[in-house]
Amino acid sequence: MDSGSSGPSAYSYIRMSTDIQLRGDSLRRQEQASKRYAEQHGLRLIEDFKLEDIGVSAFKGANVTSGSLGRFLDLVKAGDIAKGSYLLVESLDRISRQQVLDSVPVFFDIVKSGINVVTLADNHIYRAGDTNFADVIYSVVVLGRAYEESKTKSIRVGAAWANKRQNAGNKKLTRVAPAWLSLREDRTQFDVISERVDVVRHIFQMADAGHGSYVIARRLNESGVPTFTKSNGWHESYATKILNSRAVLGEFQPHRFDEHGERIPFGDPVLNYFPKIIEEPQFLRIQASRRKRLVEGAGRKGPEFRNLFTKIAKCDYCGAPMRFVHKGLPPKGTQSLRCTNAVRKLGCVNSSWKVSGVFRPRP
């Protein structure tokens, strides 16, 4: 929805380096400032055009290379956004926090493309094609200062994490913990949740006996084992996640967000960080066995069928999505749509199968 004014179009650009700021006042403050400025200056605020980079870094330029700001610039250059429109930002450092040689060209590119830039913190307008010398000098100073602040912060955060890693034995790095552990209030160590540890060990025992994640999840559901989350029963993917997690060996792998907002490993794993609940020989034996089955089972063994209605069709009994089950080629094999709850043994009575386009009860 657009604001009621018939004046030039205005686009509010909101960037936050982390979604933690969403819990504070930053998002509301920037949105309200944009609306207030547009109303006071007769601009038509385009509210159904979400121009946001939440959790996207401007320090490494991800908001320009792969974020919303970059897509906005592409639309401007393609003529899809009219020249003379306004880009409303809280301050210039929302546009870029790269080093000056990279950040200043981004700002100039916006203005040269015919877009007026408004910094809401001081209600200053950098007019398209008419930026005076004072504005140029001021923009360089602001963008340069933003880079230095981000660089200093990056160094301090890195040093803080290095210090935390050195003292991980006395105080844990974060409150993040596997679902079978709980962190003490003083953050000095983790306590095991015994009933959940028993479930994890049972999962590894079943895997060690040669069962795959699908069978493991199904048996846990058949036995009515409570899940660790609010999930509707055990899923194959969660069983796989547990079996692949080196946290059962006591290891903790710190992560960080890269310039694209992707979570990636940061540094070496911290050994003996969590209580060890699985012995390493068993863990390695299971990993080797699963990799072997993956390799030996990879690739097509002949013509296969897929169904476009997987996860689109719904079960008449419980409303859960249907999944395509391929059990070989006719005459002995069948292809069918099965209720996911029925397949996972979550209480659905539907055990129907599909033959030649007709659903029939399984004998």
Side-chain angles (χ1 to χ4, degrees):
M1 182 181 69
D2 304 342
S3 62
S5 173
S6 59
S9 297
Y11 299 84
S12 174
Y13 175 60
I14 296 175
R15 186 194 61 78
M16 301 179 202
S17 57
T18 171
D19 57 7
I20 293 176
Q21 292 174 282
L22 285 172
R23 303 188 203 123
D25 196 48
S26 183
L27 180 61
R28 185 202 62 82
R29 184 182 67 248
Q30 293 184 56
E31 288 178 340
Q32 291 299 319
S34 295
K35 290 180 181 180
R36 186 166 53 249
Y37 186 90
E39 291 172 357
Q40 293 174 351
H41 294 81
L43 303 178
R44 183 168 58 93
L45 184 62
I46 310 299
E47 297 186 74
D48 58 356
F49 185 94
K50 286 295 183 181
L51 190 55
E52 298 177 354
D53 282 316
I54 308 298
V56 179
S57 173
F59 180 48
K60 297 183 178 180
N63 62 324
V64 177
T65 58
S66 59
S68 292
L69 185 61
R71 290 192 292 273
F72 175 80
L73 270 171
D74 290 340
L75 291 173
V76 170
K77 293 175 181 178
D80 294 323
I81 293 179
K83 292 185 177 182
S85 297
Y86 286 72
L87 181 67
L88 311 182
V89 298
E90 187 174 47
S91 58
L92 290 183
D93 61 7
R94 298 291 176 182
I95 293 176
S96 179
R97 299 185 75 91
Q98 294 176 279
Q99 59 178 323
V100 174
L101 291 178
D102 295 318
S103 61
V104 171
V106 172
F107 169 65
F108 284 172
D109 197 17
I110 297 173
V111 177
K112 286 168 60 180
S113 297
I115 302 299
N116 301 296
V117 177
V118 175
T119 49
L120 299 170
D122 56 6
N123 281 353
H124 187 74
I125 304 177
Y126 297 87
R127 295 199 175 276
D130 189 32
T131 303
N132 59 45
F133 180 74
D135 283 345
V136 171
I137 297 300
Y138 183 71
S139 65
V140 171
V141 171
V142 171
L143 292 168
R145 183 181 62 198
Y147 169 72
E148 292 299 329
E149 289 175 352
S150 292
K151 183 179 179 181
T152 300
K153 181 180 178 181
S154 177
I155 293 172
R156 287 176 178 171
V157 169
W161 266 100
N163 183 60
K164 283 184 177 182
R165 288 172 67 95
Q166 291 178 355
N167 294 282
N170 301 320
K171 191 172 184 179
K172 300 306 176 183
L173 300 176
T174 73
R175 293 188 176 274
V176 176
W180 55 88
L181 301 175
S182 63
L183 181 64
R184 292 186 180 181
E185 286 296 325
D186 59 7
R187 296 181 65 171
T188 57
Q189 66 183 71
F190 294 97
D191 293 319
V192 298
I193 304 174
S194 57
E195 61 271 21
R196 292 188 173 184
V197 169
D198 290 342
V199 173
V200 173
R201 287 173 175 162
H202 183 49
I203 289 173
F204 274 85
Q205 288 169 1
M206 286 190 283
D208 211 3
H211 298 302
S213 298
Y214 170 77
V215 173
I216 292 173
R218 181 168 175 164
R219 291 192 174 182
L220 292 174
N221 288 327
E222 285 181 307
S223 302
V225 176
T227 61
F228 297 166
T229 66
K230 295 180 180 180
S231 173
N232 177 28
W234 288 87
H235 290 265
E236 178 182 357
S237 59
Y238 195 67
T240 298
K241 180 180 179 181
I242 290 175
L243 289 169
N244 290 337
S245 174
R246 296 186 65 87
V248 298
L249 302 177
E251 293 183 13
F252 171 63
Q253 175 61 66
H255 287 75
R256 66 176 179 83
F257 290 97
D258 65 10
E259 60 270 21
H260 303 294
E262 297 291 333
R263 190 169 177 266
I264 60 173
F266 177 61
D268 296 327
V270 181
L271 305 180
N272 303 314
Y273 182 82
F274 298 122
K276 183 179 181 180
I277 64 171
I278 297 295
E279 293 301 319
E280 189 168 12
Q282 183 186 32
F283 181 88
L284 296 177
R285 184 168 62 248
I286 291 171
Q287 298 306 310
S289 176
R290 289 168 65 84
R291 281 196 298 271
K292 182 180 179 182
R293 289 201 303 272
L294 182 64
V295 171
E296 291 180 350
R300 289 190 176 186
K301 299 298 186 292
E304 294 187 4
F305 297 92
R306 293 293 180 262
N307 197 292
L308 296 176
F309 295 101
T310 294
K311 297 185 179 180
I312 297 177
K314 302 292 183 181
C315 174
D316 279 345
Y317 289 84
C318 68
M322 306 289 279
R323 66 179 290 179
F324 181 67
V325 179
H326 177 58
K327 293 188 175 181
L329 299 175
K332 294 183 178 180
T334 61
Q335 298 83 44
S336 62
L337 283 175
R338 299 289 308 280
C339 169
T340 53
N341 280 348
V343 169
R344 292 165 55 221
K345 296 297 183 181
L346 281 178
C348 181
V349 297
N350 181 7
S351 59
S352 63
W353 61 343
K354 183 181 181 183
V355 181
S356 300
V358 178
F359 283 101
R360 300 175 182 172
R362 184 178 296 278

